[in-house]
Amino acid sequence: MGAYMQLAEQRAAGELIGLEERYGAHNYNPLDVVVERAEGAWVTDVEGRRYLDLLAGYSALNQGHCHPAILRAMVEQAHRVTLTSRAFRNDQLPLLLEELHRLTGFEMALPMNSGAEAVETAIKVARKWGVTVKGIPDGTAEVLVCEGNFHGRTIAVVGFSSEPQYKIGFGPFAGGFRAVPFGNAAALKEAITPRTCAFLVEPVQGEAGIIVPPDGYMREVAAICREQNVLLIADEIQSGLGRTGSLFAFEHDGIRPDMTTVGKALSGGFYPVSAVLSSREVLGVLRPGDHGSTFGGNPLACAVARAALRVLVDEHLPERSAELGAFALERLRALRSPHVVEVRGRGLWIGIELNRPARPLCEQLGQRGVLCKETHDTVIRLAPPLTISREDLDWGLGQIEAVLA
Ligand SMILES: *Cc1c(COP(=O)(O)O)cnc(C)c1O
């Protein structure tokens, strides 16, 4: 063992980066900060430098890094039992399902692992509902999606992306998807046909650059879907679980979708856990054998998710997001910078649109001890842990102001 396994502490950052570049696929272009440990809103690199994390694992770390309550639940559960597979039952899954119901109001849930899997699952369920309940001929059901969407990286999902890089070279793709402009309810209404089983939408588009739709959009969309007997699927994998200042982003419009996907912060960053939340009518279309996952609903994942949800409630993270988000947005909007085109956001989820590439500014922020990441070349995305202190946030915003000035 010792011959080929050296401890990370013995390796310098440059050497670790070299190993990653040499032996790993280059499907990311990360900032060259080699993180060794983290706590709350702060991470420490292998050289002992500390950074304020304003990305929070794309919102998987809403509860902050290594939250002690989630860590405890994970370690305790790992000592008991980690995996049963769904061939047998375990004592954690029923409790997670009940707690999801109590917290979100949805009647049923189907646990998966990654976010993309939850989206694929929602699409499968919507299609089967379309065939068995709505009466769409099998194999012809259509799902409407939005331009600028991001729902993950599986073949079916990238097949309906409007981002060329996500698709080029990866076809052929699954049929049965059509895109309509985001934020335009009339275009959705126009596009619905008798074969439409669902409309899949992010209530706020995350990867597209924190795009908040016009007021009332989700409410209109919900009404159209109800009238036309089309399922409304809200992908809340990034926008949900407190990020926008409420438990779900769709609450801002006072609506309830037929299905919601959650992931990312469902585990507080410890472990991949996702789920599809819906009604008995919709999830009830699945029969034993229709769908599954070896790790989906495993007791370790469920114990972690239960603890992560408890932190969200006990620490009032949606409320914190609303409060700190309003503070940050006001401050950034007051910023006078020749580089800033627009500052937008909802809760502690903010996009700073620039008239120049955002990457060099993110690198400068890294040198000042602040981690954030560009999205779509010209947008700086801010999504700090919702547990961040006002003082730390204030300091981080000061660094951003300095770099943009
Ligand atoms: C991150 C994300 C996904 C995909 O989640 P993975 O866990 O990376 O598969 C899906 N939908 C939205 C809105 C996301 O932000």
Side-chain angles (χ1 to χ4, degrees):
M1 288 287 275
Y4 68 89
M5 282 189 65
Q6 277 183 273
L7 293 174
E9 300 80 282
Q10 298 172 322
R11 307 274 190 126
E15 202 185 341
L16 291 167
I17 292 167
L19 290 174
E20 185 172 321
E21 294 301 302
R22 178 158 187 185
Y23 297 116
H26 296 176
N27 58 324
Y28 277 91
N29 179 25
L31 295 183
D32 284 335
V33 172
V34 183
V35 176
E36 186 185 71
R37 54 184 63 245
E39 187 183 352
W42 292 86
V43 306
T44 307
D45 73 8
V46 288
E47 274 136 22
R49 280 202 65 182
R50 294 177 80 231
Y51 303 82
L52 185 65
D53 182 0
L54 297 187
L55 180 66
Y58 300 99
S59 291
L61 292 157
N62 286 0
Q63 298 89 340
H65 287 271
C66 296
H67 192 290
I70 310 173
L71 175 63
R72 202 176 318 118
M74 181 160 182
V75 170
E76 281 174 10
Q77 186 61 43
H79 280 287
R80 283 200 295 272
V81 58
T82 56
L83 184 69
T84 52
S85 83
R86 297 288 301 274
F88 313 113
R89 297 181 190 267
N90 71 67
D91 69 348
Q92 293 299 306
L93 175 60
L95 301 178
L96 173 62
L97 295 173
E98 182 189 38
E99 286 159 14
L100 277 171
H101 163 67
R102 288 217 175 124
L103 181 65
T104 69
F106 286 98
E107 289 174 335
M108 281 187 162
L110 195 172
M112 296 296 288
N113 312 284
S114 71
E117 275 181 306
V119 171
E120 291 262 350
T121 301
I123 291 167
K124 284 178 74 176
V125 170
R127 283 178 170 183
K128 188 157 187 208
W129 174 88
V131 171
T132 59
V133 177
K134 187 168 173 174
I136 300 171
D138 192 12
T140 70
E142 187 172 61
V143 174
L144 297 175
V145 300
C146 285
E147 287 164 10
N149 71 72
F150 183 84
H151 299 289
R153 299 294 204 147
T154 55
I155 292 274
V157 168
V158 297
F160 58 77
S161 169
S162 48
E163 178 66 37
Q165 200 201 344
Y166 295 175
K167 304 178 69 165
I168 292 169
F170 297 119
F173 301 113
F177 300 96
R178 207 146 41 87
V180 297
F182 179 65
N184 183 340
L188 169 68
K189 190 168 181 178
E190 189 93 338
I192 289 172
T193 74
R195 289 181 172 172
T196 308
C197 64
F199 174 51
L200 170 63
V201 62
E202 298 158 84
V204 174
Q205 287 191 329
E207 298 303 303
I210 328 294
I211 312 286
V212 182
D215 272 346
Y217 171 65
M218 288 299 291
R219 204 161 41 244
E220 278 180 71
V221 151
I224 291 166
C225 287
R226 199 175 327 107
E227 275 161 29
Q228 309 278 333
N229 198 23
V230 165
L231 298 178
L232 174 59
I233 309 173
D235 182 349
E236 294 260 10
I237 289 166
Q238 195 166 159
S239 58
L241 304 180
R243 178 50 64 187
T244 65
S246 52
L247 185 64
F248 292 113
F250 64 68
E251 290 169 29
H252 291 282
D253 297 84
I255 60 143
R256 175 152 292 263
D258 300 292
M259 261 195 272
T260 297
T261 49
V262 287
K264 293 198 167 109
L266 184 53
S267 72
F270 276 84
Y271 192 92
V273 190
S274 65
V276 176
L277 311 175
S278 188
S279 62
R280 202 154 272 128
E281 177 198 322
V282 173
L283 276 176
V285 302
L286 292 183
R287 296 277 166 266
D290 276 357
H291 188 61
S293 160
T294 303
F295 279 83
N298 77 70
L300 185 60
C302 292
V304 166
R306 293 180 63 208
L309 291 175
R310 218 172 300 130
V311 168
L312 210 70
V313 173
D314 289 351
E315 300 187 14
H316 309 287
L317 296 188
E319 294 83 351
R320 280 188 66 81
S321 176
E323 206 180 295
L324 294 174
F327 162 70
L329 205 55
E330 189 180 339
R331 215 171 128 180
L332 290 169
R333 282 190 172 144
L335 179 70
R336 290 288 156 259
S337 161
H339 309 303
V340 176
V341 175
E342 188 188 19
V343 179
R344 55 181 178 249
R346 187 162 267 179
L348 203 43
W349 201 24
I350 296 173
I352 307 173
E353 174 106 41
L354 307 176
N355 55 11
R356 49 173 286 176
R359 174 82 181 199
L361 294 171
C362 292
E363 281 165 3
Q364 281 176 41
L365 283 166
Q367 283 155 15
R368 288 171 168 267
V370 171
L371 295 185
C372 57
K373 185 74 166 64
E374 78 278 6
T375 180
H376 277 255
D377 296 337
T378 55
V379 181
I380 300 179
R381 173 210 332 234
L382 302 179
L386 305 180
T387 53
I388 192 171
S389 71
R390 190 182 271 263
E391 296 70 43
D392 286 346
L393 180 61
D394 196 51
W395 177 80
L397 292 171
Q399 302 308 307
I400 292 168
E401 284 164 357
V403 162
L404 286 174

